[in-house]
Amino acid sequence: MSRDLEDSGQLQGLLGAVALGDSAAFRKLYDATSAKLFGFALRILRKNELAEEALQDAFVSIWHAASSYQLHLSAPLTWMAAIVRNKALDIHRRQPKGEVELALQDYDPVESLQDTAAGPQALAELSRDALALAGCMERLAGRQRQAIGMAYLHDMSHTEVAAQLSLPLGTVKTWIRRGLDRLRDCLSNREAA
Amino acid sequence: MNPRNNAVLREKLAAEYVLGTLRGAARRRFETWLRDDAALRAIVANWQGRLGTISELGRPVSPPARVWTGIERRLQLAPSAPWWQFWRLDAARPWAWLSFAAGGVALALGVMLAGREGTALPQQVAALADAQSRTALVVTADARRGRLDVRVARDVQVPDDRTLQLWAIDTKGKPRSLGILANNRSAELTLDQRAIGPDVMLLAISLEPKGGSPDPNGPTGPVLYKGSWARL
């Protein structure tokens, strides 16, 4: 946990220097975060060249927006990941539909942790927040996780999620809502513990 | 229109707004509520924190070197010199050594002044450094004049719509504002006795919107420089 705080403090300092136009600090920030953020862009876009474009767009924005980063609203990495997600989803929307065929489990935000040989090691390197989220996600039904992944990582509407899961629209809406409620309750219970 | 009294509905809409399933007119309407509803913005921020962590649930993959080259080109950043060309690194940062020296000079000056007075005046000096340990600011407390003198040693470029703010952070980690550096170069602030109290562990400078942090209880922007008092 102290490592998380330390990392977060270091990233914050670098973001501050970037806000003042320090390009050496910007390079350090890139070195410290680009692998995590590129992995995330790849999960959204699935194609290397598209994920590269998203990462580049995101870091150009981070350079310009660093002075508006607000530490009381989000951790530095969360803030940067949100920018990567926006850029990746912009690119995703410009792609022809149905280009990439995914199996249902590929939409599961937790599955991607487990399907690699580096599974246990990947888990050991997670921050405390990420571990809590992974734990709470695993308590949801598989399809609930897939539905959340489809919406958050692939910009799918309720209707698209319903078609992909071959479920009635009403069921999907209720599932997603209950899934989010359970996620929130589970996370706040962990925080309180 | 804004369902201010319906906590369950607000929570549901905020979650679906962040997830991305709140769309079209409903999304636009929600965004207009967000503009003047700080409590709703906080609910959204909480959801962004929860779902944003999804970004960490995956395998890190190192991007190819061309991604960085492309960023450098698009931002027109000067390519950094290779590490072995240390003279070029120095040339690129003429202020790095100077400011380090300036920190030392200020400390020495403070010691001299305190020595000359020969009294028990609580003279204190702090050299504030950035994340890369480069001294950027020097703060001196003059109890006799009741002034706190802040001087920027390194060449610091503050964006037009931002300002530097000085904080005292106590041993419990609680920050207290000491004032803002109006012109971002130097400032003479009124010395608040609490600023030099024994419970002050750290001085810090944060980057804030013009006029200072909107939150009286602490910085809202990134902390740029930190340092502790040297009591003389």
Short mmCIF file of all heavy atoms in Angstrom, two decimals, chain A residues 16 19-20 22 27-28 35 38 40 43 52 56-57 67 70-72 81 109 112 116 126-127 130 133 151 155-156 158 177 180 184, chain B residues 11-12 16 19 23 47 50 53-57 59 61 64 66-68 70 74 93 132 134 157 159 162 207 219-221 224-225:
data_model
loop_
_atom_site.label_atom_id
_atom_site.label_comp_id
_atom_site.label_asym_id
_atom_site.label_seq_id
_atom_site.Cartn_x
_atom_site.Cartn_y
_atom_site.Cartn_z
N GLY A 16 3.09 17.64 -12.16
CA GLY A 16 3.26 19.05 -11.81
C GLY A 16 4.36 19.69 -12.63
O GLY A 16 4.21 20.79 -13.18
N ALA A 19 3.26 20.23 -16.11
CA ALA A 19 2.39 21.41 -16.21
C ALA A 19 3.21 22.68 -16.41
O ALA A 19 2.74 23.65 -16.99
CB ALA A 19 1.54 21.54 -14.95
N LEU A 20 4.46 22.66 -15.93
CA LEU A 20 5.34 23.82 -16.09
C LEU A 20 6.22 23.70 -17.33
O LEU A 20 7.17 24.43 -17.51
CB LEU A 20 6.21 24.00 -14.85
CG LEU A 20 5.47 24.18 -13.53
CD1 LEU A 20 6.46 24.36 -12.40
CD2 LEU A 20 4.53 25.36 -13.60
N ASP A 22 8.17 21.04 -18.35
CA ASP A 22 9.44 20.32 -18.18
C ASP A 22 9.41 19.04 -19.03
O ASP A 22 8.76 18.07 -18.69
CB ASP A 22 9.60 20.00 -16.69
CG ASP A 22 10.92 19.30 -16.37
OD1 ASP A 22 11.51 18.70 -17.28
OD2 ASP A 22 11.33 19.37 -15.20
N ARG A 27 9.16 12.90 -20.13
CA ARG A 27 9.74 11.61 -20.57
C ARG A 27 9.68 10.60 -19.41
O ARG A 27 9.37 9.43 -19.59
CB ARG A 27 11.18 11.85 -21.04
CG ARG A 27 11.93 10.58 -21.41
CD ARG A 27 11.33 9.99 -22.68
NE ARG A 27 11.39 8.54 -22.70
CZ ARG A 27 11.83 7.83 -23.74
NH1 ARG A 27 12.26 8.43 -24.81
NH2 ARG A 27 11.82 6.53 -23.69
N LYS A 28 9.98 11.07 -18.20
CA LYS A 28 9.94 10.16 -17.04
C LYS A 28 8.52 9.66 -16.80
O LYS A 28 8.30 8.49 -16.48
CB LYS A 28 10.45 10.86 -15.78
CG LYS A 28 11.95 10.94 -15.74
CD LYS A 28 12.43 11.37 -14.37
CE LYS A 28 13.94 11.49 -14.38
NZ LYS A 28 14.46 12.15 -13.19
N ALA A 35 3.68 1.56 -20.45
CA ALA A 35 3.37 0.14 -20.65
C ALA A 35 1.97 -0.19 -20.12
O ALA A 35 1.19 -0.89 -20.76
CB ALA A 35 4.41 -0.73 -19.95
N PHE A 38 -0.50 1.54 -22.55
CA PHE A 38 -0.54 0.90 -23.86
C PHE A 38 -1.30 -0.43 -23.76
O PHE A 38 -2.13 -0.75 -24.63
CB PHE A 38 0.88 0.68 -24.39
CG PHE A 38 0.92 0.18 -25.81
CD1 PHE A 38 0.30 0.88 -26.84
CD2 PHE A 38 1.59 -1.00 -26.12
CE1 PHE A 38 0.34 0.41 -28.14
CE2 PHE A 38 1.63 -1.48 -27.43
CZ PHE A 38 1.01 -0.77 -28.44
N PHE A 40 -3.67 -1.05 -21.76
CA PHE A 40 -5.08 -0.67 -21.65
C PHE A 40 -5.65 -0.29 -23.02
O PHE A 40 -6.73 -0.76 -23.41
CB PHE A 40 -5.20 0.50 -20.66
CG PHE A 40 -6.60 1.00 -20.44
CD1 PHE A 40 -7.66 0.11 -20.26
CD2 PHE A 40 -6.86 2.36 -20.40
CE1 PHE A 40 -8.95 0.58 -20.04
CE2 PHE A 40 -8.14 2.84 -20.18
CZ PHE A 40 -9.19 1.95 -20.01
N ARG A 43 -6.37 -3.30 -25.01
CA ARG A 43 -7.58 -4.03 -24.62
C ARG A 43 -8.82 -3.40 -25.27
O ARG A 43 -9.79 -4.09 -25.56
CB ARG A 43 -7.74 -4.03 -23.10
CG ARG A 43 -6.89 -5.12 -22.45
CD ARG A 43 -6.71 -4.85 -20.99
NE ARG A 43 -7.95 -4.91 -20.24
CZ ARG A 43 -8.17 -4.25 -19.11
NH1 ARG A 43 -7.24 -3.47 -18.61
NH2 ARG A 43 -9.32 -4.36 -18.48
N GLU A 52 -1.35 2.28 -30.69
CA GLU A 52 -0.22 3.22 -30.72
C GLU A 52 -0.72 4.64 -30.98
O GLU A 52 -0.27 5.60 -30.34
CB GLU A 52 0.78 2.83 -31.83
CG GLU A 52 1.61 1.61 -31.48
CD GLU A 52 2.49 1.16 -32.64
OE1 GLU A 52 2.89 2.02 -33.47
OE2 GLU A 52 2.79 -0.04 -32.73
N GLN A 56 -0.41 7.85 -28.43
CA GLN A 56 0.22 9.09 -28.87
C GLN A 56 -0.75 10.28 -28.67
O GLN A 56 -0.37 11.29 -28.08
CB GLN A 56 0.57 8.95 -30.34
CG GLN A 56 1.83 9.69 -30.71
CD GLN A 56 2.23 9.38 -32.14
OE1 GLN A 56 1.64 9.93 -33.06
NE2 GLN A 56 3.21 8.52 -32.32
N ASP A 57 -1.98 10.13 -29.12
CA ASP A 57 -2.99 11.18 -28.93
C ASP A 57 -3.12 11.52 -27.44
O ASP A 57 -3.21 12.69 -27.06
CB ASP A 57 -4.37 10.73 -29.44
CG ASP A 57 -4.41 10.62 -30.96
OD1 ASP A 57 -3.46 11.06 -31.62
OD2 ASP A 57 -5.41 10.07 -31.48
N SER A 67 -1.77 20.93 -16.44
CA SER A 67 -2.00 21.96 -15.44
C SER A 67 -3.44 21.95 -14.93
O SER A 67 -3.74 22.57 -13.93
CB SER A 67 -1.63 23.34 -15.99
OG SER A 67 -2.52 23.69 -17.02
N GLN A 70 -6.49 17.63 -11.34
CA GLN A 70 -6.89 17.97 -9.97
C GLN A 70 -6.74 16.77 -9.06
O GLN A 70 -7.46 15.77 -9.21
CB GLN A 70 -8.34 18.45 -9.95
CG GLN A 70 -8.50 19.76 -10.68
CD GLN A 70 -9.89 20.28 -10.51
OE1 GLN A 70 -10.85 19.69 -11.00
NE2 GLN A 70 -10.03 21.37 -9.78
N LEU A 71 -5.81 16.88 -8.13
CA LEU A 71 -5.46 15.70 -7.36
C LEU A 71 -6.55 15.25 -6.41
O LEU A 71 -6.61 14.08 -6.06
CB LEU A 71 -4.11 15.88 -6.66
CG LEU A 71 -3.99 16.29 -5.22
CD1 LEU A 71 -2.69 15.76 -4.71
CD2 LEU A 71 -4.00 17.79 -5.04
N HIS A 72 -7.46 16.16 -6.03
CA HIS A 72 -8.51 15.71 -5.10
C HIS A 72 -9.58 14.91 -5.84
O HIS A 72 -10.42 14.29 -5.23
CB HIS A 72 -9.10 16.88 -4.33
CG HIS A 72 -9.83 17.86 -5.20
ND1 HIS A 72 -9.20 18.57 -6.21
CD2 HIS A 72 -11.11 18.25 -5.23
CE1 HIS A 72 -10.09 19.35 -6.80
NE2 HIS A 72 -11.25 19.17 -6.23
N ALA A 81 -5.41 7.37 -17.49
CA ALA A 81 -6.12 6.26 -18.14
C ALA A 81 -7.45 6.75 -18.74
O ALA A 81 -7.87 6.28 -19.80
CB ALA A 81 -6.36 5.13 -17.15
N PRO A 109 -13.57 -7.75 -18.13
CA PRO A 109 -12.43 -6.94 -17.69
C PRO A 109 -11.48 -7.70 -16.78
O PRO A 109 -10.33 -7.31 -16.65
CB PRO A 109 -13.07 -5.78 -16.93
CG PRO A 109 -14.52 -5.82 -17.24
CD PRO A 109 -14.85 -7.20 -17.66
N SER A 112 -8.91 -10.83 -18.64
CA SER A 112 -7.64 -10.50 -19.27
C SER A 112 -6.47 -10.62 -18.30
O SER A 112 -5.33 -10.74 -18.70
CB SER A 112 -7.69 -9.08 -19.85
OG SER A 112 -8.00 -8.18 -18.82
N THR A 116 -3.31 -14.96 -19.07
CA THR A 116 -1.91 -14.89 -19.46
C THR A 116 -1.09 -15.81 -18.57
O THR A 116 -1.47 -16.12 -17.45
CB THR A 116 -1.36 -13.47 -19.28
OG1 THR A 116 -1.46 -13.14 -17.90
CG2 THR A 116 -2.14 -12.47 -20.10
N LEU A 126 -0.53 -5.66 -8.90
CA LEU A 126 -1.66 -4.73 -8.91
C LEU A 126 -1.63 -3.80 -7.70
O LEU A 126 -1.18 -4.16 -6.63
CB LEU A 126 -2.97 -5.52 -8.88
CG LEU A 126 -3.34 -6.27 -10.15
CD1 LEU A 126 -4.70 -6.91 -9.97
CD2 LEU A 126 -3.36 -5.33 -11.35
N SER A 127 -2.15 -2.60 -7.90
CA SER A 127 -2.30 -1.67 -6.78
C SER A 127 -3.43 -2.18 -5.89
O SER A 127 -4.20 -3.06 -6.27
CB SER A 127 -2.62 -0.27 -7.29
OG SER A 127 -3.94 -0.24 -7.80
N ALA A 130 -6.79 -1.77 -7.50
CA ALA A 130 -7.05 -2.70 -8.59
C ALA A 130 -7.37 -4.08 -8.04
O ALA A 130 -8.25 -4.78 -8.56
CB ALA A 130 -5.84 -2.75 -9.52
N LEU A 133 -10.92 -4.02 -6.84
CA LEU A 133 -11.86 -4.07 -7.95
C LEU A 133 -11.92 -5.48 -8.55
O LEU A 133 -13.00 -6.00 -8.82
CB LEU A 133 -11.47 -3.05 -9.03
CG LEU A 133 -12.44 -3.00 -10.22
CD1 LEU A 133 -13.79 -2.42 -9.81
CD2 LEU A 133 -11.87 -2.20 -11.38
N ALA A 151 -19.65 -2.23 -22.40
CA ALA A 151 -20.04 -0.82 -22.36
C ALA A 151 -18.83 0.07 -22.11
O ALA A 151 -18.60 1.05 -22.82
CB ALA A 151 -21.09 -0.60 -21.27
N ASP A 155 -17.57 0.78 -25.78
CA ASP A 155 -18.54 1.81 -26.14
C ASP A 155 -19.86 1.25 -26.66
O ASP A 155 -20.51 1.85 -27.51
CB ASP A 155 -17.90 2.72 -27.21
CG ASP A 155 -18.65 4.04 -27.36
OD1 ASP A 155 -19.12 4.55 -26.33
OD2 ASP A 155 -18.78 4.52 -28.50
N MET A 156 -20.27 0.08 -26.17
CA MET A 156 -21.51 -0.50 -26.67
C MET A 156 -22.71 0.05 -25.90
O MET A 156 -22.64 0.26 -24.69
CB MET A 156 -21.48 -2.02 -26.50
CG MET A 156 -20.52 -2.71 -27.45
SD MET A 156 -20.81 -4.47 -27.25
CE MET A 156 -19.65 -5.12 -28.39
N HIS A 158 -26.79 -0.22 -24.57
CA HIS A 158 -27.59 -1.31 -24.00
C HIS A 158 -28.06 -2.27 -25.09
O HIS A 158 -28.01 -3.48 -24.94
CB HIS A 158 -28.82 -0.73 -23.28
CG HIS A 158 -28.50 -0.18 -21.92
ND1 HIS A 158 -29.01 1.02 -21.47
CD2 HIS A 158 -27.74 -0.67 -20.91
CE1 HIS A 158 -28.57 1.25 -20.24
NE2 HIS A 158 -27.80 0.24 -19.87
N ARG A 177 -27.38 -2.45 -14.16
CA ARG A 177 -27.63 -1.60 -13.01
C ARG A 177 -27.32 -2.33 -11.70
O ARG A 177 -26.64 -1.81 -10.83
CB ARG A 177 -29.08 -1.11 -13.02
CG ARG A 177 -29.27 0.13 -12.17
CD ARG A 177 -30.71 0.54 -12.02
NE ARG A 177 -31.45 -0.42 -11.22
CZ ARG A 177 -32.58 -1.01 -11.62
NH1 ARG A 177 -33.09 -0.73 -12.80
NH2 ARG A 177 -33.20 -1.88 -10.84
N LEU A 180 -23.55 -2.79 -11.23
CA LEU A 180 -22.86 -1.58 -10.76
C LEU A 180 -23.14 -1.35 -9.28
O LEU A 180 -22.25 -0.97 -8.52
CB LEU A 180 -23.31 -0.37 -11.59
CG LEU A 180 -22.83 -0.36 -13.05
CD1 LEU A 180 -23.51 0.78 -13.82
CD2 LEU A 180 -21.32 -0.23 -13.15
N ARG A 184 -20.32 -1.23 -6.32
CA ARG A 184 -20.13 -0.09 -5.41
C ARG A 184 -20.19 -0.55 -3.97
O ARG A 184 -19.33 -0.20 -3.15
CB ARG A 184 -21.20 0.98 -5.67
CG ARG A 184 -21.05 2.21 -4.80
CD ARG A 184 -22.33 2.99 -4.72
NE ARG A 184 -23.42 2.13 -4.30
CZ ARG A 184 -24.66 2.19 -4.77
NH1 ARG A 184 -24.99 3.08 -5.66
NH2 ARG A 184 -25.60 1.35 -4.35
N GLU B 11 -27.50 8.44 -8.33
CA GLU B 11 -26.43 7.44 -8.31
C GLU B 11 -26.46 6.60 -9.60
O GLU B 11 -25.44 6.36 -10.24
CB GLU B 11 -26.65 6.55 -7.08
CG GLU B 11 -25.54 5.60 -6.76
CD GLU B 11 -24.28 6.26 -6.21
OE1 GLU B 11 -24.39 7.31 -5.54
OE2 GLU B 11 -23.20 5.71 -6.46
N LYS B 12 -27.66 6.17 -9.98
CA LYS B 12 -27.83 5.34 -11.17
C LYS B 12 -27.40 6.08 -12.43
O LYS B 12 -26.66 5.56 -13.26
CB LYS B 12 -29.30 4.90 -11.27
CG LYS B 12 -29.70 4.23 -12.58
CD LYS B 12 -31.19 3.91 -12.57
CE LYS B 12 -31.71 3.31 -13.84
NZ LYS B 12 -31.63 4.11 -15.03
N GLU B 16 -24.18 5.26 -14.95
CA GLU B 16 -24.36 4.95 -16.37
C GLU B 16 -23.72 6.03 -17.25
O GLU B 16 -23.30 5.74 -18.38
CB GLU B 16 -25.85 4.79 -16.68
CG GLU B 16 -26.45 3.68 -15.83
CD GLU B 16 -27.36 2.74 -16.60
OE1 GLU B 16 -27.93 3.18 -17.61
OE2 GLU B 16 -27.50 1.57 -16.18
N LEU B 19 -20.11 4.84 -17.21
CA LEU B 19 -20.00 3.59 -17.96
C LEU B 19 -20.16 3.83 -19.46
O LEU B 19 -19.56 3.13 -20.27
CB LEU B 19 -21.08 2.61 -17.48
CG LEU B 19 -21.01 1.19 -18.04
CD1 LEU B 19 -19.77 0.46 -17.50
CD2 LEU B 19 -22.26 0.39 -17.69
N ARG B 23 -26.99 7.86 -22.88
CA ARG B 23 -26.69 8.38 -24.22
C ARG B 23 -27.68 9.44 -24.68
O ARG B 23 -28.72 9.64 -24.07
CB ARG B 23 -26.70 7.22 -25.22
CG ARG B 23 -25.66 6.19 -24.86
CD ARG B 23 -25.39 5.25 -25.98
NE ARG B 23 -24.14 4.54 -25.67
CZ ARG B 23 -23.36 4.00 -26.57
NH1 ARG B 23 -23.67 4.06 -27.84
NH2 ARG B 23 -22.24 3.39 -26.20
N TRP B 47 -17.48 7.41 -9.28
CA TRP B 47 -17.65 6.35 -10.27
C TRP B 47 -16.47 6.28 -11.23
O TRP B 47 -16.06 5.21 -11.66
CB TRP B 47 -18.98 6.49 -11.02
CG TRP B 47 -20.11 5.86 -10.26
CD1 TRP B 47 -21.10 6.50 -9.58
CD2 TRP B 47 -20.33 4.46 -10.07
NE1 TRP B 47 -21.92 5.58 -8.98
CE2 TRP B 47 -21.47 4.32 -9.26
CE3 TRP B 47 -19.65 3.31 -10.48
CZ2 TRP B 47 -21.96 3.07 -8.86
CZ3 TRP B 47 -20.14 2.06 -10.10
CH2 TRP B 47 -21.29 1.96 -9.29
N ARG B 50 -13.89 4.31 -9.46
CA ARG B 50 -14.18 2.86 -9.40
C ARG B 50 -13.96 2.22 -10.76
O ARG B 50 -13.23 1.25 -10.90
CB ARG B 50 -15.63 2.63 -9.00
CG ARG B 50 -15.91 2.94 -7.55
CD ARG B 50 -17.38 2.68 -7.20
NE ARG B 50 -17.72 3.38 -5.99
CZ ARG B 50 -18.61 4.36 -5.91
NH1 ARG B 50 -19.29 4.74 -6.97
NH2 ARG B 50 -18.83 4.96 -4.76
N THR B 53 -10.42 2.19 -12.53
CA THR B 53 -9.45 1.18 -12.12
C THR B 53 -9.46 -0.04 -13.05
O THR B 53 -8.51 -0.82 -13.07
CB THR B 53 -9.73 0.78 -10.65
OG1 THR B 53 -9.82 1.99 -9.89
CG2 THR B 53 -8.62 -0.05 -10.05
N ILE B 54 -10.53 -0.19 -13.84
CA ILE B 54 -10.56 -1.27 -14.84
C ILE B 54 -9.32 -1.17 -15.73
O ILE B 54 -8.79 -2.18 -16.18
CB ILE B 54 -11.86 -1.19 -15.70
CG1 ILE B 54 -13.06 -1.65 -14.88
CG2 ILE B 54 -11.74 -2.04 -16.97
CD1 ILE B 54 -14.39 -1.61 -15.63
N SER B 55 -8.84 0.05 -15.94
CA SER B 55 -7.66 0.23 -16.80
C SER B 55 -6.45 -0.53 -16.26
O SER B 55 -5.55 -0.87 -17.01
CB SER B 55 -7.33 1.71 -16.92
OG SER B 55 -6.87 2.21 -15.68
N GLU B 56 -6.42 -0.79 -14.96
CA GLU B 56 -5.26 -1.48 -14.38
C GLU B 56 -5.39 -3.00 -14.42
O GLU B 56 -4.44 -3.71 -14.12
CB GLU B 56 -5.06 -1.02 -12.92
CG GLU B 56 -4.70 0.44 -12.81
CD GLU B 56 -4.47 0.84 -11.36
OE1 GLU B 56 -3.77 0.12 -10.64
OE2 GLU B 56 -5.04 1.87 -10.94
N LEU B 57 -6.61 -3.49 -14.76
CA LEU B 57 -6.82 -4.94 -14.75
C LEU B 57 -6.38 -5.54 -16.08
O LEU B 57 -7.17 -6.09 -16.81
CB LEU B 57 -8.30 -5.26 -14.52
CG LEU B 57 -8.94 -4.75 -13.24
CD1 LEU B 57 -10.37 -5.24 -13.13
CD2 LEU B 57 -8.13 -5.20 -12.04
N ARG B 59 -2.65 -6.71 -18.64
CA ARG B 59 -1.22 -6.93 -18.71
C ARG B 59 -0.56 -5.68 -19.30
O ARG B 59 -1.00 -5.18 -20.31
CB ARG B 59 -0.99 -8.11 -19.65
CG ARG B 59 0.28 -8.86 -19.49
CD ARG B 59 0.13 -10.22 -20.17
NE ARG B 59 -0.61 -10.12 -21.43
CZ ARG B 59 -0.02 -10.06 -22.63
NH1 ARG B 59 1.27 -10.08 -22.73
NH2 ARG B 59 -0.74 -10.00 -23.74
N VAL B 61 1.98 -3.70 -21.56
CA VAL B 61 2.68 -4.02 -22.80
C VAL B 61 3.53 -2.81 -23.18
O VAL B 61 2.99 -1.70 -23.27
CB VAL B 61 1.68 -4.30 -23.96
CG1 VAL B 61 2.43 -4.71 -25.22
CG2 VAL B 61 0.65 -5.35 -23.56
N PRO B 64 6.12 0.34 -28.79
CA PRO B 64 7.35 0.50 -29.57
C PRO B 64 7.88 1.93 -29.47
O PRO B 64 7.12 2.87 -29.20
CB PRO B 64 6.92 0.17 -31.01
CG PRO B 64 5.44 0.27 -31.02
CD PRO B 64 4.96 0.02 -29.63
N ARG B 66 8.67 4.08 -31.56
CA ARG B 66 8.15 5.12 -32.47
C ARG B 66 6.99 5.91 -31.86
O ARG B 66 6.71 7.02 -32.31
CB ARG B 66 7.72 4.50 -33.81
CG ARG B 66 6.63 3.46 -33.70
CD ARG B 66 6.17 2.95 -35.06
NE ARG B 66 5.30 1.81 -34.91
CZ ARG B 66 5.72 0.54 -34.90
NH1 ARG B 66 6.99 0.27 -35.06
NH2 ARG B 66 4.85 -0.45 -34.72
N VAL B 67 6.34 5.35 -30.84
CA VAL B 67 5.24 6.10 -30.21
C VAL B 67 5.80 7.37 -29.56
O VAL B 67 5.29 8.47 -29.78
CB VAL B 67 4.49 5.24 -29.18
CG1 VAL B 67 3.44 6.07 -28.46
CG2 VAL B 67 3.84 4.05 -29.85
N TRP B 68 6.89 7.21 -28.80
CA TRP B 68 7.49 8.38 -28.14
C TRP B 68 8.03 9.37 -29.17
O TRP B 68 7.84 10.58 -29.04
CB TRP B 68 8.59 7.96 -27.17
CG TRP B 68 9.31 9.15 -26.65
CD1 TRP B 68 10.54 9.61 -27.01
CD2 TRP B 68 8.79 10.12 -25.71
NE1 TRP B 68 10.84 10.78 -26.36
CE2 TRP B 68 9.78 11.12 -25.55
CE3 TRP B 68 7.58 10.24 -24.99
CZ2 TRP B 68 9.61 12.21 -24.71
CZ3 TRP B 68 7.43 11.33 -24.15
CH2 TRP B 68 8.42 12.30 -24.01
N GLY B 70 6.96 9.93 -32.10
CA GLY B 70 5.82 10.63 -32.67
C GLY B 70 5.31 11.72 -31.72
O GLY B 70 4.96 12.82 -32.15
N ARG B 74 5.16 15.67 -32.55
CA ARG B 74 3.91 16.44 -32.55
C ARG B 74 3.95 17.61 -31.58
O ARG B 74 3.32 18.63 -31.80
CB ARG B 74 2.74 15.52 -32.23
CG ARG B 74 2.30 14.73 -33.46
CD ARG B 74 1.32 13.64 -33.12
NE ARG B 74 0.04 14.13 -32.65
CZ ARG B 74 -0.95 13.33 -32.27
NH1 ARG B 74 -0.80 12.01 -32.33
NH2 ARG B 74 -2.10 13.82 -31.85
N ARG B 93 20.33 22.61 -19.27
CA ARG B 93 19.72 23.05 -18.01
C ARG B 93 20.66 23.98 -17.25
O ARG B 93 21.18 23.62 -16.21
CB ARG B 93 19.42 21.86 -17.09
CG ARG B 93 18.58 20.79 -17.73
CD ARG B 93 17.79 20.06 -16.66
NE ARG B 93 16.52 19.71 -17.18
CZ ARG B 93 15.47 20.53 -17.18
NH1 ARG B 93 15.55 21.72 -16.62
NH2 ARG B 93 14.35 20.15 -17.70
N GLN B 132 12.67 15.91 -8.89
CA GLN B 132 14.00 15.45 -9.27
C GLN B 132 15.10 16.09 -8.42
O GLN B 132 16.24 16.21 -8.83
CB GLN B 132 14.22 15.76 -10.75
CG GLN B 132 13.34 14.85 -11.61
CD GLN B 132 12.95 15.50 -12.93
OE1 GLN B 132 13.69 15.42 -13.89
NE2 GLN B 132 11.80 16.17 -12.94
N ARG B 134 15.74 19.09 -7.57
CA ARG B 134 16.35 20.37 -7.95
C ARG B 134 15.68 21.47 -7.16
O ARG B 134 14.46 21.58 -7.16
CB ARG B 134 16.17 20.62 -9.45
CG ARG B 134 16.96 19.63 -10.29
CD ARG B 134 16.70 19.88 -11.75
NE ARG B 134 15.27 19.86 -12.03
CZ ARG B 134 14.76 19.42 -13.19
NH1 ARG B 134 15.54 18.99 -14.14
NH2 ARG B 134 13.46 19.44 -13.39
N GLN B 157 8.21 28.40 -15.36
CA GLN B 157 7.21 28.96 -16.27
C GLN B 157 5.83 28.49 -15.83
O GLN B 157 5.50 27.33 -16.00
CB GLN B 157 7.45 28.48 -17.70
CG GLN B 157 8.82 28.83 -18.27
CD GLN B 157 8.98 30.32 -18.53
OE1 GLN B 157 8.00 31.01 -18.76
NE2 GLN B 157 10.21 30.80 -18.48
N PRO B 159 1.79 28.42 -16.27
CA PRO B 159 0.77 28.75 -17.27
C PRO B 159 -0.05 29.98 -16.84
O PRO B 159 -0.25 30.19 -15.64
CB PRO B 159 -0.11 27.50 -17.32
CG PRO B 159 0.74 26.41 -16.75
CD PRO B 159 1.70 27.05 -15.80
N ARG B 162 -2.80 29.88 -14.12
CA ARG B 162 -2.49 29.16 -12.88
C ARG B 162 -1.66 30.05 -11.96
O ARG B 162 -1.07 31.03 -12.38
CB ARG B 162 -1.68 27.89 -13.16
CG ARG B 162 -2.35 26.92 -14.08
CD ARG B 162 -3.37 26.06 -13.35
NE ARG B 162 -4.55 25.96 -14.18
CZ ARG B 162 -5.61 25.20 -13.89
NH1 ARG B 162 -5.64 24.51 -12.79
NH2 ARG B 162 -6.64 25.19 -14.69
N LEU B 207 0.34 23.88 -7.66
CA LEU B 207 -0.11 24.65 -8.82
C LEU B 207 -1.63 24.71 -8.76
O LEU B 207 -2.30 23.68 -8.74
CB LEU B 207 0.35 23.94 -10.09
CG LEU B 207 0.13 24.68 -11.41
CD1 LEU B 207 1.00 25.92 -11.47
CD2 LEU B 207 0.44 23.77 -12.59
N PRO B 219 -4.51 21.68 -1.14
CA PRO B 219 -4.30 21.90 -2.57
C PRO B 219 -5.24 21.06 -3.43
O PRO B 219 -5.62 19.96 -3.04
CB PRO B 219 -2.84 21.47 -2.79
CG PRO B 219 -2.40 20.75 -1.58
CD PRO B 219 -3.38 21.02 -0.48
N THR B 220 -5.64 21.60 -4.57
CA THR B 220 -6.42 20.81 -5.51
C THR B 220 -5.55 20.44 -6.71
O THR B 220 -5.88 19.55 -7.47
CB THR B 220 -7.64 21.57 -6.04
OG1 THR B 220 -7.19 22.78 -6.65
CG2 THR B 220 -8.60 21.91 -4.92
N GLY B 221 -4.46 21.16 -6.90
CA GLY B 221 -3.58 20.88 -8.03
C GLY B 221 -2.37 20.08 -7.59
O GLY B 221 -2.20 19.80 -6.40
N LEU B 224 4.22 20.75 -6.55
CA LEU B 224 5.41 20.87 -7.42
C LEU B 224 6.71 20.77 -6.64
O LEU B 224 7.66 20.15 -7.07
CB LEU B 224 5.39 22.21 -8.14
CG LEU B 224 4.17 22.51 -9.00
CD1 LEU B 224 4.25 23.93 -9.52
CD2 LEU B 224 4.10 21.53 -10.16
N TYR B 225 6.75 21.46 -5.48
CA TYR B 225 8.00 21.54 -4.73
C TYR B 225 7.74 21.30 -3.26
O TYR B 225 6.71 21.70 -2.74
CB TYR B 225 8.63 22.93 -4.91
CG TYR B 225 8.69 23.39 -6.34
CD1 TYR B 225 7.87 24.42 -6.79
CD2 TYR B 225 9.53 22.76 -7.25
CE1 TYR B 225 7.90 24.84 -8.12
CE2 TYR B 225 9.58 23.17 -8.58
CZ TYR B 225 8.76 24.21 -9.00
OH TYR B 225 8.78 24.60 -10.31
#
